[in-house]
Amino acid sequence: MARSPTWCREDVTGEYQIKRDAAGEEYLEVAGRGVALLHDPLLNKGTAFTAEEREVFGLSGFLPVHVATGSPFPDVVLGEKRFVVGQGNNAFIFHGVGLGTLAMGASGVTDGMFTAAANRLFELIPRDRLQQRCVYPPYATLREISKEVAIAVGEAAVRDGVAHRRSRAEIAAAVEAKMWIPRYLPYRPAW
């Protein structure tokens, strides 16, 4: 059952409490700062802390400044610094995990397969994107990324014993054979 905001309020006691500002908007008044704030699971918003909250609560340097969203957004420019906003939805991992699992005929999906997918994805992030604090490759490379992630997943499936042993070349060929190629025939009227 999903937790509603009302349910959460029952647990909000002690060093923090819900209040309303002059406009009637709810906010959480928090006494903790720095690492102590990050160690409280009810308060740790991870990368969802705003820049102002990071400054006020002494969190600068404790949290990554990398940004990714589920939808494409333009780059953000602050002063003379450009921040690339990566599109970080599940497509970069799940396409490759599914493709690699199917291509290998794996009997299951292991934690090792997901770990291999995440590690391979990280290896495929261009250095210039990392320097711009972007944690995903360009979305336009999704097809190639999915293929590479699927190959890594296939290798992990073999290592984890959920797929029959194959060489890397055989895994790559099996992945390529399963990839869908969008090819549309021209339409003609039936009349």
Side-chain angles (χ1 to χ4, degrees):
M1 185 159 118
R3 296 177 178 175
S4 69
T6 304
W7 183 92
C8 295
R9 288 182 190 153
E10 294 170 9
D11 282 349
V12 178
T13 58
E15 295 185 34
Y16 37 88
Q17 61 179 236
I18 296 175
K19 294 199 170 186
R20 290 189 183 273
D21 64 17
E25 295 291 319
E26 286 186 332
Y27 67 94
L28 203 58
E29 187 174 79
V30 180
R33 290 182 44 81
V35 175
L37 184 62
L38 296 178
H39 285 200
D40 186 329
L42 290 176
L43 293 177
N44 188 347
K45 299 194 297 185
T47 57
F49 281 106
T50 66
E52 182 181 359
E53 288 171 337
R54 289 173 189 225
E55 185 66 31
V56 169
F57 291 105
L59 299 173
S60 298
F62 289 111
L63 297 166
V65 294
H66 296 70
V67 176
T69 66
S71 300
F73 282 91
D75 295 351
V76 175
V77 178
L78 295 173
E80 304 213 1
K81 203 167 200 177
R82 175 177 298 278
F83 296 89
V84 176
V85 179
Q87 186 171 352
N89 62 28
N90 296 334
F92 281 111
I93 292 292
F94 288 116
H95 289 175
V97 170
L99 178 59
T101 302
L102 291 173
M104 295 301 293
S107 62
V109 179
T110 66
D111 288 346
M113 291 162 70
F114 273 105
T115 300
N119 288 334
R120 185 65 180 129
L121 176 61
F122 177 75
E123 293 168 359
L124 296 168
I125 302 169
R127 184 177 305 274
D128 66 315
R129 300 233 346 144
L130 286 172
Q131 289 170 342
Q132 294 172 323
R133 300 176 185 221
C134 185
V135 294
Y136 289 96
Y139 199 74
T141 63
L142 179 60
R143 184 176 180 81
E144 185 60 30
I145 297 292
S146 295
K147 176 179 147 185
E148 290 295 322
V149 167
I151 293 167
V153 166
E155 292 174 322
V158 169
R159 271 193 313 276
D160 292 348
V162 294
H164 296 292
R165 184 155 303 284
R166 297 186 199 177
S167 69
R168 180 171 172 75
E170 290 170 323
I171 294 170
V175 165
E176 287 180 16
K178 286 282 185 195
M179 290 182 77
W180 176 69
I181 299 171
R183 184 177 148 261
Y184 300 100
L185 297 174
Y187 289 4
R188 293 189 183 150
W191 62 91

